[in-house]
Coordinates of all heavy atoms in Angstrom, one line a residue:
M1 N -211.1 223.9 36.0 CA -209.7 223.7 36.5 C -208.8 223.5 35.3 O -207.7 224.0 35.4 CB -209.8 222.6 37.5 CG -208.4 222.2 38.0 SD -208.3 222.6 39.7 CE -207.0 221.6 40.1
R2 N -209.2 222.6 34.4 CA -208.3 222.3 33.3 C -208.0 223.6 32.5 O -206.9 223.8 32.1 CB -209.0 221.4 32.3 CG -209.0 220.0 32.8 CD -209.6 219.1 31.7 NE -209.4 217.7 31.9 CZ -209.9 216.8 31.2 NH1 -210.6 217.1 30.1 NH2 -209.6 215.6 31.5
K3 N -208.9 224.5 32.4 CA -208.7 225.7 31.6 C -207.7 226.6 32.3 O -206.8 227.2 31.7 CB -210.0 226.5 31.5 CG -211.0 225.8 30.5 CD -212.2 226.7 30.4 CE -213.2 226.0 29.4 NZ -214.4 226.7 29.3
I4 N -207.7 226.6 33.6 CA -206.8 227.4 34.4 C -205.4 226.9 34.2 O -204.4 227.6 34.0 CB -207.2 227.5 35.9 CG1 -208.4 228.3 36.0 CG2 -206.0 228.1 36.7 CD1 -209.0 228.3 37.4
I5 N -205.2 225.5 34.3 CA -203.9 224.9 34.2 C -203.4 225.1 32.8 O -202.2 225.4 32.5 CB -204.0 223.4 34.6 CG1 -204.3 223.3 36.1 CG2 -202.7 222.7 34.2 CD1 -204.5 221.9 36.5
L6 N -204.3 224.9 31.8 CA -203.9 225.1 30.4 C -203.5 226.5 30.2 O -202.5 226.8 29.5 CB -205.1 224.7 29.5 CG -204.8 224.8 28.0 CD1 -203.7 223.9 27.6 CD2 -206.1 224.4 27.2
A7 N -204.2 227.5 30.7 CA -203.8 228.9 30.5 C -202.5 229.2 31.2 O -201.7 229.9 30.7 CB -204.9 229.8 31.1
A8 N -202.2 228.6 32.4 CA -201.0 228.8 33.1 C -199.8 228.2 32.2 O -198.7 228.8 32.1 CB -201.0 228.2 34.4
A9 N -200.1 227.0 31.7 CA -199.0 226.4 30.9 C -198.7 227.2 29.6 O -197.6 227.4 29.2 CB -199.5 225.0 30.5
I10 N -199.8 227.7 29.0 CA -199.6 228.6 27.8 C -198.8 229.9 28.2 O -197.9 230.3 27.5 CB -200.9 228.9 27.1 CG1 -201.5 227.6 26.5 CG2 -200.8 230.0 26.1 CD1 -202.9 227.8 26.0
A11 N -199.2 230.5 29.3 CA -198.5 231.7 29.7 C -197.0 231.4 30.0 O -196.1 232.2 29.7 CB -199.2 232.3 31.0
T12 N -196.7 230.3 30.7 CA -195.4 229.9 31.0 C -194.6 229.6 29.7 O -193.4 230.1 29.6 CB -195.4 228.6 31.9 OG1 -196.1 228.9 33.1 CG2 -193.9 228.2 32.3
S13 N -195.2 229.0 28.8 CA -194.5 228.7 27.5 C -194.3 230.0 26.8 O -193.2 230.2 26.2 CB -195.4 227.8 26.6 OG -195.6 226.5 27.2
A14 N -195.2 230.9 26.8 CA -195.0 232.2 26.1 C -193.9 233.0 26.7 O -193.1 233.6 26.0 CB -196.3 233.0 26.2
L15 N -193.8 233.0 28.1 CA -192.7 233.6 28.7 C -191.3 233.0 28.4 O -190.3 233.6 28.2 CB -192.9 233.7 30.3 CG -194.0 234.6 30.7 CD1 -194.2 234.4 32.3 CD2 -193.7 236.0 30.4
G16 N -191.3 231.7 28.4 CA -190.1 230.9 28.0 C -189.7 231.2 26.6 O -188.5 231.4 26.3
L17 N -190.6 231.3 25.7 CA -190.3 231.6 24.3 C -189.8 233.1 24.2 O -188.9 233.3 23.4 CB -191.5 231.4 23.4 CG -191.9 230.0 23.1 CD1 -193.2 229.9 22.3 CD2 -190.8 229.3 22.3
A18 N -190.4 234.0 25.0 CA -189.9 235.3 24.9 C -188.5 235.4 25.4 O -187.7 236.2 24.9 CB -190.8 236.2 25.8
A19 N -188.2 234.7 26.5 CA -186.8 234.7 27.0 C -185.8 234.1 26.0 O -184.7 234.6 25.8 CB -186.7 234.0 28.3
C20 N -186.2 233.0 25.3 CA -185.4 232.4 24.3 C -185.2 233.3 23.1 O -184.2 233.4 22.5 CB -186.0 231.1 23.9 SG -185.8 229.8 25.1
S21 N -186.3 234.0 22.8 CA -186.3 234.9 21.7 C -185.2 236.0 21.9 O -184.5 236.4 21.0 CB -187.6 235.5 21.5 OG -187.6 236.5 20.4
E22 N -185.1 236.6 23.1 CA -184.1 237.6 23.4 C -182.7 237.1 23.3 O -181.8 237.7 22.7 CB -184.4 238.2 24.7 CG -185.7 239.1 24.8 CD -186.0 239.6 26.2 OE1 -185.0 239.6 27.0 OE2 -187.1 239.9 26.5
K23 N -182.6 235.9 23.8 CA -181.2 235.2 23.8 C -180.8 235.0 22.3 O -179.7 235.2 21.9 CB -181.2 234.0 24.6 CG -179.9 233.3 24.6 CD -180.0 232.0 25.4 CE -178.6 231.3 25.4 NZ -178.6 230.0 26.0
T24 N -181.8 234.4 21.5 CA -181.5 234.1 20.1 C -181.2 235.4 19.4 O -180.3 235.4 18.5 CB -182.7 233.4 19.5 OG1 -183.0 232.2 20.3 CG2 -182.5 233.1 18.1
E25 N -182.0 236.5 19.7 CA -181.7 237.7 19.0 C -180.3 238.3 19.3 O -179.6 238.7 18.4 CB -182.8 238.8 19.4 CG -182.7 240.1 18.7 CD -183.8 241.0 19.2 OE1 -184.9 240.6 19.5 OE2 -183.5 242.2 19.1
T26 N -179.9 238.1 20.5 CA -178.6 238.6 20.9 C -177.5 237.8 20.2 O -176.5 238.3 19.6 CB -178.4 238.5 22.4 OG1 -179.3 239.3 23.1 CG2 -177.0 238.9 22.8
E27 N -177.7 236.4 20.2 CA -176.7 235.6 19.5 C -176.7 235.8 18.0 O -175.6 235.8 17.4 CB -177.1 234.1 19.8 CG -176.8 233.7 21.2 CD -177.2 232.3 21.5 OE1 -177.9 231.6 20.7 OE2 -177.0 231.8 22.7
A28 N -177.9 236.1 17.4 CA -177.9 236.4 16.0 C -177.2 237.7 15.7 O -176.4 237.8 14.7 CB -179.3 236.5 15.5
G29 N -177.4 238.7 16.5 CA -176.7 239.9 16.4 C -175.2 239.8 16.5 O -174.4 240.4 15.7
E30 N -174.7 239.0 17.4 CA -173.3 238.7 17.6 C -172.8 238.0 16.3 O -171.6 238.2 15.9 CB -173.0 237.9 18.8 CG -173.3 238.7 20.1 CD -173.2 237.9 21.4 OE1 -173.0 236.6 21.3 OE2 -173.3 238.4 22.5
A31 N -173.5 237.0 15.8 CA -173.1 236.3 14.6 C -173.0 237.2 13.4 O -172.0 237.1 12.6 CB -174.1 235.2 14.3
V32 N -173.9 238.1 13.3 CA -173.9 239.1 12.2 C -172.7 240.0 12.3 O -172.0 240.3 11.3 CB -175.2 239.9 12.1 CG1 -175.1 241.1 11.2 CG2 -176.4 239.1 11.7
D33 N -172.4 240.5 13.5 CA -171.2 241.3 13.8 C -169.9 240.5 13.4 O -169.0 241.1 12.8 CB -171.1 241.8 15.2 CG -172.3 242.8 15.5 OD1 -172.8 243.3 14.6 OD2 -172.5 243.0 16.7
A34 N -169.9 239.3 13.8 CA -168.7 238.5 13.5 C -168.5 238.2 12.0 O -167.4 238.3 11.5 CB -168.8 237.1 14.2
M35 N -169.6 238.0 11.3 CA -169.5 237.8 9.9 C -169.1 239.1 9.2 O -168.3 239.1 8.2 CB -170.9 237.3 9.3 CG -171.2 235.9 9.7 SD -172.7 235.2 8.8 CE -174.0 236.3 9.3
A36 N -169.6 240.3 9.7 CA -169.2 241.5 9.1 C -167.7 241.8 9.3 O -167.0 242.3 8.4 CB -170.0 242.7 9.7
A37 N -167.2 241.4 10.5 CA -165.8 241.6 10.7 C -164.9 240.7 9.8 O -163.9 241.1 9.3 CB -165.5 241.3 12.2
D38 N -165.4 239.5 9.6 CA -164.7 238.5 8.8 C -164.7 239.0 7.3 O -163.7 239.0 6.6 CB -165.4 237.1 8.8 CG -165.1 236.4 10.1 OD1 -164.2 236.8 10.9 OD2 -165.8 235.4 10.4
A39 N -165.8 239.6 6.9 CA -165.9 240.1 5.5 C -165.0 241.3 5.3 O -164.3 241.4 4.3 CB -167.4 240.5 5.2
E40 N -164.9 242.1 6.4 CA -164.1 243.3 6.3 C -162.6 242.9 6.2 O -161.8 243.4 5.5 CB -164.3 244.2 7.5 CG -163.5 245.5 7.5 CD -163.7 246.4 8.6 OE1 -164.6 246.1 9.4 OE2 -163.0 247.4 8.7
A41 N -162.2 241.9 7.0 CA -160.8 241.4 7.1 C -160.5 240.8 5.7 O -159.4 241.0 5.2 CB -160.7 240.4 8.2
A42 N -161.4 240.0 5.1 CA -161.2 239.4 3.8 C -161.0 240.5 2.7 O -160.2 240.4 1.9 CB -162.3 238.4 3.5
T43 N -161.8 241.5 2.8 CA -161.7 242.6 1.8 C -160.4 243.3 2.0 O -159.7 243.6 1.0 CB -162.9 243.6 2.1 OG1 -164.1 242.9 1.9 CG2 -162.8 244.7 1.1
D44 N -160.0 243.6 3.2 CA -158.7 244.2 3.4 C -157.5 243.4 2.9 O -156.6 243.9 2.2 CB -158.4 244.5 4.9 CG -159.3 245.6 5.5 OD1 -159.9 246.3 4.7 OD2 -159.5 245.7 6.7
T45 N -157.6 242.1 3.1 CA -156.6 241.2 2.6 C -156.5 241.2 1.1 O -155.5 241.2 0.5 CB -156.8 239.7 3.2 OG1 -156.8 239.8 4.6 CG2 -155.7 238.8 2.7
A46 N -157.7 241.1 0.5 CA -157.8 241.1 -1.0 C -157.2 242.5 -1.5 O -156.5 242.5 -2.5 CB -159.2 240.9 -1.4
A47 N -157.5 243.6 -0.9 CA -157.0 244.9 -1.3 C -155.5 244.9 -1.2 O -154.8 245.4 -2.1 CB -157.7 246.0 -0.5
Q48 N -155.0 244.4 -0.1 CA -153.5 244.4 0.0 C -152.9 243.5 -1.0 O -151.8 243.9 -1.6 CB -153.2 243.9 1.4 CG -153.5 244.9 2.5 CD -153.4 244.3 3.9 OE1 -153.1 243.1 4.1 NE2 -153.6 245.1 4.9
G49 N -153.5 242.4 -1.3 CA -153.0 241.5 -2.4 C -153.0 242.2 -3.7 O -152.0 242.1 -4.5
A50 N -154.1 242.9 -4.0 CA -154.2 243.6 -5.3 C -153.1 244.7 -5.4 O -152.5 244.9 -6.5 CB -155.6 244.2 -5.5
E51 N -152.9 245.4 -4.3 CA -151.9 246.5 -4.3 C -150.5 245.9 -4.5 O -149.7 246.4 -5.3 CB -152.0 247.2 -2.9 CG -151.1 248.4 -2.9 CD -151.2 249.2 -1.5 OE1 -152.1 248.9 -0.8 OE2 -150.3 250.0 -1.3
A52 N -150.2 244.8 -3.9 CA -148.9 244.2 -4.0 C -148.7 243.7 -5.5 O -147.6 243.9 -6.1 CB -148.8 243.0 -3.1
A53 N -149.8 243.1 -6.1 CA -149.7 242.7 -7.5 C -149.5 243.9 -8.4 O -148.7 243.8 -9.4 CB -151.0 241.9 -7.9
A54 N -150.2 245.0 -8.1 CA -150.0 246.2 -9.0 C -148.6 246.7 -8.8 O -148.0 247.1 -9.8 CB -151.0 247.3 -8.6
D55 N -148.0 246.7 -7.6 CA -146.7 247.2 -7.4 C -145.7 246.3 -8.2 O -144.8 246.8 -8.8 CB -146.3 247.2 -5.9 CG -147.0 248.3 -5.2 OD1 -147.6 249.2 -5.8 OD2 -147.1 248.2 -3.9
A56 N -145.9 245.0 -8.1 CA -145.0 244.1 -8.8 C -145.1 244.2 -10.3 O -144.1 244.2 -11.0 CB -145.3 242.6 -8.4
T57 N -146.3 244.5 -10.8 CA -146.5 244.7 -12.2 C -145.8 246.0 -12.7 O -145.2 246.0 -13.7 CB -148.0 244.7 -12.6 OG1 -148.6 243.5 -12.2 CG2 -148.2 245.0 -14.0
A58 N -145.9 247.0 -11.9 CA -145.3 248.3 -12.2 C -143.8 248.1 -12.2 O -143.1 248.7 -13.1 CB -145.7 249.4 -11.2
E59 N -143.2 247.4 -11.2 CA -141.8 247.2 -11.2 C -141.3 246.4 -12.4 O -140.3 246.7 -13.0 CB -141.4 246.5 -9.9 CG -141.6 247.4 -8.6 CD -141.4 246.7 -7.3 OE1 -141.1 245.4 -7.4 OE2 -141.6 247.3 -6.3
G60 N -142.1 245.4 -12.7 CA -141.8 244.6 -13.9 C -141.8 245.4 -15.2 O -141.0 245.2 -16.0
A61 N -142.8 246.2 -15.3 CA -142.9 247.1 -16.5 C -141.7 248.0 -16.6 O -141.2 248.3 -17.7 CB -144.2 247.8 -16.5
A62 N -141.3 248.6 -15.4 CA -140.2 249.5 -15.4 C -138.9 248.8 -15.8 O -138.1 249.3 -16.6 CB -140.1 250.2 -14.0
A63 N -138.8 247.6 -15.3 CA -137.6 246.8 -15.6 C -137.5 246.5 -17.1 O -136.5 246.5 -17.8 CB -137.5 245.5 -14.8
A64 N -138.7 246.1 -17.7 CA -138.8 245.8 -19.1 C -138.5 247.0 -19.9 O -137.8 246.9 -21.0 CB -140.2 245.2 -19.4
A65 N -139.0 248.2 -19.5 CA -138.7 249.4 -20.2 C -137.2 249.8 -20.2 O -136.7 250.2 -21.2 CB -139.6 250.6 -19.7
D66 N -136.6 249.6 -19.1 CA -135.2 249.8 -18.9 C -134.4 248.9 -19.9 O -133.5 249.3 -20.6 CB -134.7 249.6 -17.5 CG -135.2 250.7 -16.6 OD1 -135.6 251.8 -17.1 OD2 -135.1 250.6 -15.3
A67 N -134.8 247.6 -19.9 CA -134.1 246.7 -20.8 C -134.3 247.0 -22.2 O -133.3 246.9 -23.0 CB -134.6 245.2 -20.5
A68 N -135.5 247.4 -22.6 CA -135.7 247.8 -24.0 C -134.9 249.1 -24.4 O -134.4 249.2 -25.5 CB -137.2 248.1 -24.2
A69 N -134.8 250.0 -23.4 CA -134.0 251.2 -23.7 C -132.6 250.9 -23.9 O -131.9 251.4 -24.7 CB -134.2 252.2 -22.6
D70 N -132.1 250.0 -23.0 CA -130.7 249.6 -23.1 C -130.4 248.9 -24.5 O -129.4 249.1 -25.1 CB -130.3 248.6 -22.0 CG -130.2 249.4 -20.6 OD1 -130.2 250.6 -20.6 OD2 -130.3 248.6 -19.6
A71 N -131.3 248.0 -24.9 CA -131.2 247.3 -26.1 C -131.2 248.3 -27.3 O -130.4 248.2 -28.3 CB -132.3 246.2 -26.3
A72 N -132.1 249.3 -27.3 CA -132.2 250.3 -28.3 C -130.9 251.1 -28.4 O -130.4 251.4 -29.5 CB -133.4 251.1 -28.1
E73 N -130.4 251.4 -27.2 CA -129.1 252.2 -27.2 C -128.0 251.4 -27.8 O -127.2 251.9 -28.6 CB -128.8 252.6 -25.8 CG -127.6 253.5 -25.6 CD -127.3 253.9 -24.2 OE1 -128.1 253.6 -23.3 OE2 -126.3 254.6 -24.0
A74 N -127.9 250.1 -27.4 CA -126.9 249.3 -28.0 C -127.0 249.1 -29.5 O -126.0 249.2 -30.2 CB -126.9 247.9 -27.3
T75 N -128.2 249.0 -30.0 CA -128.5 248.9 -31.4 C -128.1 250.2 -32.1 O -127.5 250.2 -33.2 CB -129.9 248.5 -31.7 OG1 -130.2 247.3 -31.0 CG2 -130.2 248.4 -33.2
A76 N -128.4 251.3 -31.5 CA -128.1 252.6 -32.1 C -126.6 252.8 -32.2 O -126.0 253.3 -33.1 CB -128.7 253.7 -31.3
D77 N -125.9 252.4 -31.1 CA -124.4 252.5 -31.1 C -123.8 251.6 -32.2 O -122.9 252.1 -32.9 CB -123.9 252.0 -29.7 CG -124.2 253.0 -28.6 OD1 -124.5 254.2 -28.9 OD2 -124.0 252.6 -27.4
K78 N -124.3 250.4 -32.4 CA -123.8 249.5 -33.5 C -124.1 250.1 -34.8 O -123.2 250.1 -35.7 CB -124.5 248.1 -33.4 CG -123.9 247.3 -32.2 CD -124.6 245.9 -32.2 CE -124.2 245.1 -31.0 NZ -124.9 243.8 -30.9
A79 N -125.3 250.7 -35.0 CA -125.6 251.3 -36.3 C -124.7 252.5 -36.5 O -124.2 252.7 -37.7 CB -127.1 251.8 -36.3
A80 N -124.4 253.3 -35.5 CA -123.5 254.5 -35.7 C -122.1 254.0 -36.0 O -121.5 254.6 -36.9 CB -123.5 255.3 -34.4
D81 N -121.7 253.0 -35.4 CA -120.3 252.4 -35.7 C -120.3 251.9 -37.1 O -119.3 252.2 -37.8 CB -120.0 251.3 -34.7 CG -119.7 251.8 -33.3 OD1 -119.5 253.0 -33.1 OD2 -119.7 250.9 -32.3
A82 N -121.3 251.2 -37.5 CA -121.4 250.7 -38.9 C -121.4 251.9 -39.9 O -120.7 251.8 -40.9 CB -122.6 249.8 -39.1
A83 N -122.2 252.9 -39.6 CA -122.2 254.0 -40.5 C -120.9 254.7 -40.6 O -120.4 255.2 -41.6 CB -123.3 255.0 -40.0
A84 N -120.2 254.8 -39.5 CA -118.8 255.4 -39.5 C -117.9 254.6 -40.3 O -117.0 255.2 -41.0 CB -118.3 255.6 -38.0
D85 N -118.0 253.3 -40.2 CA -117.1 252.4 -41.0 C -117.4 252.6 -42.5 O -116.5 252.6 -43.3 CB -117.3 250.9 -40.6 CG -116.8 250.6 -39.2 OD1 -116.0 251.4 -38.7 OD2 -117.2 249.6 -38.6
V86 N -118.7 252.6 -42.8 CA -119.1 252.8 -44.2 C -118.6 254.2 -44.7 O -118.0 254.3 -45.8 CB -120.6 252.7 -44.4 CG1 -121.0 253.2 -45.8 CG2 -121.0 251.3 -44.2
A87 N -118.7 255.2 -43.9 CA -118.2 256.5 -44.3 C -116.7 256.5 -44.5 O -116.1 257.1 -45.4 CB -118.6 257.6 -43.3
A88 N -116.0 255.8 -43.6 CA -114.5 255.8 -43.7 C -114.1 255.0 -45.0 O -113.2 255.4 -45.7 CB -113.9 255.1 -42.5
E89 N -114.8 253.9 -45.3 CA -114.5 253.2 -46.5 C -114.8 254.0 -47.8 O -114.1 254.0 -48.8 CB -115.3 251.9 -46.5 CG -114.8 250.9 -45.6 CD -115.6 249.6 -45.6 OE1 -116.4 249.3 -46.5 OE2 -115.6 248.8 -44.6
A90 N -115.9 254.8 -47.7 CA -116.3 255.7 -48.8 C -115.2 256.7 -49.0 O -114.9 257.1 -50.2 CB -117.6 256.3 -48.6
E91 N -114.6 257.3 -47.9 CA -113.6 258.3 -48.1 C -112.3 257.6 -48.7 O -111.7 258.3 -49.6 CB -113.2 258.9 -46.7 CG -114.2 259.9 -46.2 CD -113.8 260.5 -44.9 OE1 -112.6 260.5 -44.6 OE2 -114.7 261.0 -44.2
K92 N -112.0 256.4 -48.3 CA -110.8 255.7 -48.9 C -111.0 255.5 -50.4 O -110.1 255.6 -51.2 CB -110.6 254.4 -48.2 CG -109.9 254.6 -46.8 CD -109.6 253.2 -46.3 CE -109.1 253.3 -44.8 NZ -108.8 252.0 -44.3
A93 N -112.3 255.1 -50.7 CA -112.6 254.8 -52.1 C -112.5 256.0 -52.9 O -112.2 256.0 -54.1 CB -113.9 254.1 -52.2
A94 N -112.9 257.2 -52.3 CA -112.9 258.4 -53.0 C -111.5 259.0 -53.3 O -111.3 259.7 -54.2 CB -113.8 259.4 -52.3
E95 N -110.5 258.6 -52.5 CA -109.2 259.1 -52.7 C -108.6 258.5 -53.8 O -108.3 258.1 -54.7 CB -108.3 258.7 -51.4 CG -108.8 259.4 -50.2 CD -108.0 259.0 -49.0 OE1 -107.1 258.1 -49.1 OE2 -108.2 259.5 -48.0

């Protein structure tokens, strides 16, 4: 009689574990899906941040290039004016 009760208890426990196992498997699958979605969202956010930083860097570089070009043009204009002044003085001295 003890063997029959023990066998029934073992069978009941095995069925209970099987049912828990399916529930646990489902919950684990849902957790994995949630983690994958979180990772994807984090990756998207990081990519957007990197793109924004690249855009800002490009805009900054363009602004710096424009400023350098303006400064070079101003320097060239001053040099041309100075050269014209020197040429005018040279003509006066030659007369």
Side-chain angles (χ1 to χ4, degrees):
M1 173 114 163
R2 283 185 168 177
K3 290 182 182 180
I4 293 174
I5 293 175
L6 184 59
I10 291 173
T12 304
S13 295
L15 289 174
L17 286 176
C20 288
S21 175
E22 289 175 20
K23 181 179 177 186
T24 303
E25 184 178 330
T26 301
E27 289 174 355
E30 290 172 356
V32 168
D33 291 343
M35 288 188 304
D38 289 345
E40 183 178 355
T43 301
D44 289 344
T45 301
Q48 289 171 356
E51 184 177 350
D55 290 345
T57 300
E59 290 172 5
D66 289 343
D70 291 344
E73 184 178 354
T75 301
D77 289 344
K78 287 180 184 179
D81 290 343
D85 290 344
V86 169
E89 288 179 17
E91 283 182 26
K92 281 184 187 179
E95 293 177 354

